[in-house]
């Protein structure tokens, strides 16, 4: 959240963009996936800018010497963690020596966020004390959140708990400044709410009663999707499934709090795996793949009616991809949410497709590809001959700049919103892919450097954006 993030916002402004979609911002857990976060309310400390801490007097220039040699095109998560944790602990030591007046904003932050922050900080401190093992392997006293056991550990881990609260204070302080910079320049942020939560998270640890778990905290059933074009064996995500009948008893208060928290971070919510709210794929934990599963009814409109009653109408993009039934379409339309269309899904399959631009409704968001797709250049290089012919014929293109062909096609469509992955703007191949669904290694690591945003790219993106009045 330092200077490079602000430079990227300036790039968006200078090229006439009005939206910036980001992945979930939570602290990363299993496989560094932003969809397997350790908390549904906390922020990712790895995003905290040391340069900002330096400017505010929490670090000295010498603290930023001997920076590791990070790779430019990938994120080396383990090295980043070691580097950032050392700097954050150093800044925390300085912070504790500040006078009372300088610490008051921190105390106010802790009080305003008490509903989730106390649980999160305790969970993280305990997790470290338990050698980062999953909570359902901890000793019974803290696994079951017995008051006496927690009280004892709270005394032992006082400083560690305070450190995790401090990290969240710095994260949210920096993020709100970044969001203000966006909003002041007419840039709105789009952020995800993943439908499911990670088993190894403060939510499941603190509220095991609302998930299908056995007496030891092990899921009995998990989420995923059946076999599709991404995977012949489906995707077995491993997330625990909700006991919706229990969650609904208090009018979905936890989900309302989740929407509130997300809308403090971003301006528009993208609901990941929207079809799961109509019905979701349930897989018994004994199965290693998602082939043997079945559909189970979700909470449907009742959940969103509760959210609307409390928060009013909120801007939502429904990720309605995958096995979509008329019931899912009806639920989305009943709620007046915008659905998604993906250009890469328009070509190479038999028959008509809802993803071809001539079939779009105005109330939708079109993507050239998403974080789960290959880049457009990577996708096109792997497309079979029949698909190549269909794609080029549809666009009247020779395919030499397929990424720009797709960008133009999206911008000229009747869809009221267009999102373009940065990899496609930069014209990158499969090496820049963000995620391979159904796999756990090698994902979420792609990164770019500012020099890749050349003047030629800026001019071209601005011209097309203006041409199609976006």
């Amino acid at each position: 959240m330092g200077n490079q993030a602000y430079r990227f916002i300036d790039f968006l402004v200078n090229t006439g963009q009005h939206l910036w979609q980001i992945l979930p911002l939570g602290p990363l857990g299993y496989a560094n996936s932003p969809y397997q976060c350790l908390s549904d309310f906390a922020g990712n400390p790895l995003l905290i800018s040391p340069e900002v801490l330096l400017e505010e007097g929490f670090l000295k220039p010498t603290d930023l010497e001997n920076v590791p040699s990070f790779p430019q095109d990938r994120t080396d998560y383990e090295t980043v963690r070691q580097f950032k944790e050392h700097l954050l602990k150093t800044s925390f030591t300085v912070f504790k020596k500040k006078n009372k007046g300088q610490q008051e904003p921190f105390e106010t932050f802790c009080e305003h966020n008490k509903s989730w922050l106390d649980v999160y900080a305790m969970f993280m401190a305990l997790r470290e004390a338990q050698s980062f093992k999953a909570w359902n392997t901890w000793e019974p006293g803290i696994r079951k959140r017995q008051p006496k056991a927690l009280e004892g550990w709270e005394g032992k881990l006082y400083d560690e708990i305070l450190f995790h609260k401090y990290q969240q204070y710095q994260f949210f302080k920096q993020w709100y400044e970044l969001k203000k910079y966006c909003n002041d320049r007419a840039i709105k942020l789009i952020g995800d709410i993943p439908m499911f939560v990670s088993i190894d998270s403060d939510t499941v640890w603190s509220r095991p009663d609302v998930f299908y778990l056995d007496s030891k905290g092990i899921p009995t059933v998990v989420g995923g999707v059946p076999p599709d074009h991404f995977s012949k064996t489906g995707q077995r995500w491993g997330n625990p499934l909700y006991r919706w009948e229990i969650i609904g008893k208090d009018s979905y208060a936890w989900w309302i709090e989740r929407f509130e928290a997300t809308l403090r971070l971003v301006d528009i919510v993208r609901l990941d795996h929207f079809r799961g709210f109509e019905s979701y794929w349930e897989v018994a934990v004994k199965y290693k793949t998602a082939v043997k599963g079945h559909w189970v009814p979700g909470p449907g409109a009742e959940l969103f009616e509760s959210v609307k009653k409390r928060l009013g109408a909120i801007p939502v993009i429904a990720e309605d991809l995958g096995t979509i039934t008329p019931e899912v379409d009806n639920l989305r339309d009943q709620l007046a949410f915008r659905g998604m269309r993906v250009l890469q899904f328009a070509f190479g399959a038999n028959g008509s497709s809802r993803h071809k631009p001539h079939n779009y409704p105005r109330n939708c968001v079109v993507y050239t590809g998403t974080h789960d797709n290959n880049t457009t250049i990577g996708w096109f290089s792997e497309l079979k001959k029949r698909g190549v012919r269909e794609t080029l014929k549809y666009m009247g293109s020779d395919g030499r700049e397929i990424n720009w062909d797709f960008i133009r096609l999206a911008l000229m469509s009747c869809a009221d919103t267009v999102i373009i992955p940065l990899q496609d703007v930069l014209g990158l191949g499969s090496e820049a892919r963000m995620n391979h669904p159904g796999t756990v290694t090698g994902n979420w690591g792609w990164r770019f450097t500012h020099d890749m945003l050349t003047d030629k790219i800026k001019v071209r993106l601005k011209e097309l954006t203006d041409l199609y009045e976006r």
Side-chain angles (χ1 to χ4, degrees):
M1 293 182 282
N3 292 335
Q4 295 301 320
Y6 287 86
R7 288 184 72 186
F8 182 70
I9 297 167
D10 292 341
F11 159 78
L12 296 176
V13 173
N14 294 334
T15 55
Q17 309 307 300
H18 298 284
L19 299 169
W20 179 12
Q21 181 172 319
I22 57 175
L23 293 169
L25 292 169
L28 302 176
Y30 181 63
N32 298 311
S33 170
Y35 294 94
Q36 296 285 350
C37 289
L38 297 168
S39 172
D40 302 297
F41 296 93
N44 182 0
L46 298 184
L47 296 176
I48 296 172
S49 169
E51 290 84 2
V52 174
L53 295 178
L54 175 65
E55 291 170 7
E56 295 179 346
F58 295 109
L59 292 175
K60 303 188 300 292
T62 52
D63 293 326
L64 298 183
E65 294 176 353
N66 302 316
V67 176
S69 180
F70 297 115
Q72 292 216 334
D73 61 344
R74 306 292 297 176
T75 298
D76 180 352
Y77 280 103
E78 191 52 44
T79 304
V80 171
R81 279 192 183 91
Q82 293 174 11
F83 175 67
K84 283 282 181 78
E85 186 172 318
H86 172 72
L87 291 178
L88 288 168
K89 285 182 176 177
T90 300
S91 73
F92 179 54
T93 300
V94 174
F95 170 79
K96 288 189 292 183
K97 296 176 182 177
K98 297 286 185 181
N99 62 48
K100 181 69 175 176
Q102 291 173 298
Q103 291 191 1
E104 281 182 0
F106 168 69
E107 293 171 359
T108 300
F109 169 83
C110 291
E111 185 60 33
H112 285 173
N113 294 278
K114 187 177 180 65
S115 63
W116 63 266
L117 185 60
D118 287 356
V119 171
Y120 168 76
M122 185 69 181
F123 173 78
M124 293 297 285
L126 283 170
R127 190 169 179 270
E128 290 170 3
Q130 302 296 314
S131 303
F132 300 97
K133 295 176 182 176
W135 69 266
N136 51 24
T137 66
W138 297 350
E139 61 186 65
I142 51 176
R143 187 182 77 227
K144 297 181 179 180
R145 292 180 52 79
Q146 294 172 353
K148 284 189 177 181
L150 291 179
E151 187 178 333
W153 277 97
E154 193 171 9
K156 295 178 189 176
L157 301 174
Y158 175 82
D159 211 47
E160 289 82 355
I161 292 169
L162 194 66
F163 176 53
H164 284 288
K165 291 182 178 181
Y166 166 77
Q167 290 180 82
Q168 292 306 303
Y169 167 67
Q170 292 292 3
F171 171 89
F172 281 95
K173 188 154 69 75
Q174 291 191 12
W175 182 259
Y176 290 144
E177 284 296 315
L178 190 69
K179 184 178 186 296
K180 184 177 186 301
Y181 192 83
C182 281
N183 294 162
D184 287 350
R185 288 154 182 78
I187 303 291
K188 289 185 177 180
L189 290 160
I190 303 172
D192 265 25
I193 295 184
M195 181 185 177
F196 296 122
V197 300
S198 170
I199 177 63
D200 191 19
S201 65
D202 60 357
T203 296
V204 186
W205 173 62
S206 62
R207 298 202 62 186
D209 58 307
V210 301
F211 297 92
Y212 285 101
L213 308 175
D214 65 17
S215 60
K216 295 182 178 179
I218 306 297
T220 56
V221 289
V222 295
V225 289
D228 58 15
H229 57 270
F230 280 127
S231 174
K232 293 180 180 178
T233 58
Q235 297 175 49
R236 184 188 182 280
W237 297 329
N239 304 82
L241 297 178
Y242 300 109
R243 293 182 181 270
W244 286 111
E245 73 283 359
I246 296 177
I247 295 175
K249 285 182 179 178
D250 61 359
S251 299
Y252 302 97
W254 178 77
W255 268 93
I256 292 170
E257 187 179 355
R258 207 174 174 202
F259 269 93
E260 284 183 305
T262 303
L263 287 167
R264 286 193 291 269
L265 292 170
V266 299
D267 305 291
I268 300 167
V269 171
R270 175 187 176 274
L271 274 177
D272 187 61
H273 194 52
F274 175 76
R275 78 99 58 240
F277 293 98
E278 192 282 321
S279 57
Y280 54 89
W281 191 248
E282 180 182 287
V283 182
V285 73
K286 64 182 179 181
Y287 295 125
K288 301 302 181 185
T289 74
V291 172
K292 293 182 179 180
H294 62 279
W295 294 107
V296 178
E302 184 180 87
L303 164 63
F304 300 105
E305 287 166 357
S306 294
V307 173
K308 186 176 181 179
K309 187 175 181 180
R310 174 84 167 270
L311 305 180
I314 58 177
V316 170
I317 298 171
E319 190 264 285
D320 53 349
L321 306 176
T323 307
I324 302 303
T325 63
E327 291 79 10
V328 178
D329 284 335
N330 291 338
L331 176 62
R332 184 202 59 230
D333 293 343
Q334 176 187 346
L335 299 167
F337 292 167
R338 283 176 290 176
M340 287 175 52
R341 300 294 186 269
V342 180
L343 282 176
Q344 288 183 25
F345 295 159
F347 307 105
N350 293 323
S352 183
S353 170
R354 64 194 279 154
H355 295 281
K356 287 183 176 177
H358 65 268
N359 290 325
Y360 292 172
R362 288 199 64 83
N363 190 36
C364 75
V365 184
V366 57
Y367 294 74
T368 55
T370 74
H371 60 266
D372 283 334
N373 293 102
N374 203 339
T375 67
T376 293
I377 287 179
W379 165 83
F380 191 66
S381 70
E382 297 173 355
L383 197 60
K384 294 180 180 179
K385 289 182 179 180
R386 178 179 171 277
V388 170
R389 287 195 301 269
E390 179 193 10
T391 304
L392 298 182
K393 186 176 182 180
Y394 188 93
M395 296 187 298
S397 165
D398 60 11
R400 285 186 294 180
E401 291 186 306
I402 192 66
N403 58 314
W404 285 108
D405 291 338
F406 264 37
I407 291 170
R408 180 185 291 272
L409 188 60
L411 291 171
M412 71 164 62
S413 76
C414 69
D416 62 15
T417 305
V418 176
I419 303 293
I420 307 162
L422 186 60
Q423 293 97 318
D424 286 351
V425 175
L426 299 176
L428 300 177
S430 299
E431 75 284 353
R433 182 169 183 165
M434 184 60 78
N435 180 46
H436 292 73
T439 67
V440 295
T441 59
N443 298 318
W444 315 111
W446 177 77
R447 63 194 298 261
F448 82 103
T449 53
H450 196 78
D451 60 293
M452 297 168 74
L453 300 171
T454 64
D455 289 341
K456 183 178 179 181
I457 286 174
K458 294 175 186 176
V459 169
R460 195 166 188 179
L461 183 59
K462 180 70 164 63
E463 285 180 346
L464 287 175
T465 302
D466 291 344
L467 178 64
Y468 297 111
E469 301 176 1
R470 291 290 178 178

